[in-house]
Amino acid sequence: MPQLKGLKVLPPGSGKGFLALMARVFVYGTLKRGQPNHKVLLDPTNGCAAFRGRGRTLEPYPLVIAGEHNIPRLLNLPGQGRLVLGEIYAVDERMLSFLDEFEGCPDMYQRTPLQVTVLEWEGARGAPEETPAADGTLRCFVYSTVTYAPEWVRLPHLDDYDFQGEHGLRYNPRENRCQARGPGLPCSAGGWGTEPRR
């Protein structure tokens, strides 16, 4: 059962009738719109996710592309790196649980709270828990990692990930990693294929 700290109870009618409990999640990599894994946020069998806006981390973090599959990873080193751009989603408990599994939480990534500066907002403005604070910030969950190879800190830091970016590092989608293991063989936790845990 995922931790539900940070979920908000919405008043009737504020979530278009489909979400009773909400958590905000900040995504910065392959879950963003136009990126290879965004489809999991759209799949109702995983739960409900609603785009709320675009934002940027309040503090700098190292966002790197690392590992044999060229996965974008936010290293949990606040104060280092760059201000990272991403998207804010309101998700229900089911989607939050799905994302924990999808991200290999808590082994590969850890779901932690962080402050995000809101750049564009499309979310509801009626309920105080749905509206950015007066200073334009929101507290969101993010999937960052403390389990990484030491040399990853020295990789180039990005402020905005795009799998087709100028970095030239081709992302290897999880379905390719799972198929490479052979028919009938399960993927490792979080679907990361043969990537070692650090």
Side-chain angles (χ1 to χ4, degrees), residues 23-46:
R24 288 185 298 263
V25 177
F26 177 76
V27 300
Y28 55 83
T30 65
L31 290 171
K32 293 188 307 184
R33 294 182 294 184
Q35 301 302 308
N37 291 323
H38 181 68
K39 61 188 175 273
V40 304
L41 292 176
L42 304 176
D43 185 344
T45 62
N46 298 331

Side-chain angles (χ1 to χ4, degrees), residues 98-120:
F98 170 82
L99 290 173
D100 282 352
E101 174 74 20
F102 187 81
E103 297 290 6
C105 186
D107 298 321
M108 287 292 293
Y109 289 93
Q110 296 75 47
R111 176 167 39 99
T112 57
L114 95 155
Q115 286 295 114
V116 174
T117 301
V118 176
L119 302 175
E120 297 172 17

Side-chain angles (χ1 to χ4, degrees), residues 121-143:
W121 188 249
E122 294 181 13
R125 291 222 178 250
E129 61 271 7
E130 273 290 299
T131 306
D135 65 358
T137 64
L138 279 175
R139 191 168 181 85
C140 300
F141 285 127
V142 69
Y143 291 92

Side-chain angles (χ1 to χ4, degrees), residues 27 56 65 94 98 102 109 111-112 132 149 158 162 181 188:
V27 300
R56 179 179 57 224
I65 300 173
R94 187 170 168 187
F98 170 82
F102 187 81
Y109 289 93
R111 176 167 39 99
T112 57
L158 305 173
D162 185 328
R181 293 180 60 89
S188 62

Side-chain angles (χ1 to χ4, degrees), residues 2-198:
Q3 289 183 5
L4 300 181
K5 186 177 180 182
L7 288 178
K8 303 292 183 188
V9 178
L10 296 180
S14 65
K16 297 185 181 176
F18 70 98
L19 299 173
L21 292 174
M22 302 292 288
R24 288 185 298 263
V25 177
F26 177 76
V27 300
Y28 55 83
T30 65
L31 290 171
K32 293 188 307 184
R33 294 182 294 184
Q35 301 302 308
N37 291 323
H38 181 68
K39 61 188 175 273
V40 304
L41 292 176
L42 304 176
D43 185 344
T45 62
N46 298 331
C48 297
F51 177 79
R52 291 294 185 241
R54 294 183 65 249
R56 179 179 57 224
T57 58
L58 187 62
E59 290 186 84
Y61 285 85
L63 172 58
V64 300
I65 300 173
E68 67 178 301
H69 302 296
N70 294 322
I71 297 169
R73 301 171 192 261
L74 189 71
L75 307 184
N76 196 345
L77 294 169
Q80 298 183 36
R82 297 181 177 191
L83 299 178
V84 176
L85 293 167
E87 297 173 351
I88 302 161
Y89 288 84
V91 302
D92 67 358
E93 180 181 347
R94 187 170 168 187
M95 180 62 78
L96 194 61
S97 180
F98 170 82
L99 290 173
D100 282 352
E101 174 74 20
F102 187 81
E103 297 290 6
C105 186
D107 298 321
M108 287 292 293
Y109 289 93
Q110 296 75 47
R111 176 167 39 99
T112 57
L114 95 155
Q115 286 295 114
V116 174
T117 301
V118 176
L119 302 175
E120 297 172 17
W121 188 249
E122 294 181 13
R125 291 222 178 250
E129 61 271 7
E130 273 290 299
T131 306
D135 65 358
T137 64
L138 279 175
R139 191 168 181 85
C140 300
F141 285 127
V142 69
Y143 291 92
S144 62
T145 186
V146 295
T147 52
Y148 54 86
E151 62 269 16
W152 289 3
V153 177
R154 294 185 297 277
L155 291 172
H157 297 170
L158 305 173
D159 57 7
D160 190 13
Y161 174 80
D162 185 328
F163 80 109
Q164 296 177 323
E166 293 179 7
H167 51 73
L169 299 171
R170 185 178 168 94
Y171 173 73
N172 185 19
R174 118 184 358 238
E175 49 275 6
N176 293 353
R177 291 176 250 155
C178 294
Q179 290 170 3
R181 293 180 60 89
L185 294 176
C187 290
S188 62
W192 296 112
T194 58
E195 190 110 355
R197 292 187 180 167
R198 301 185 198 282

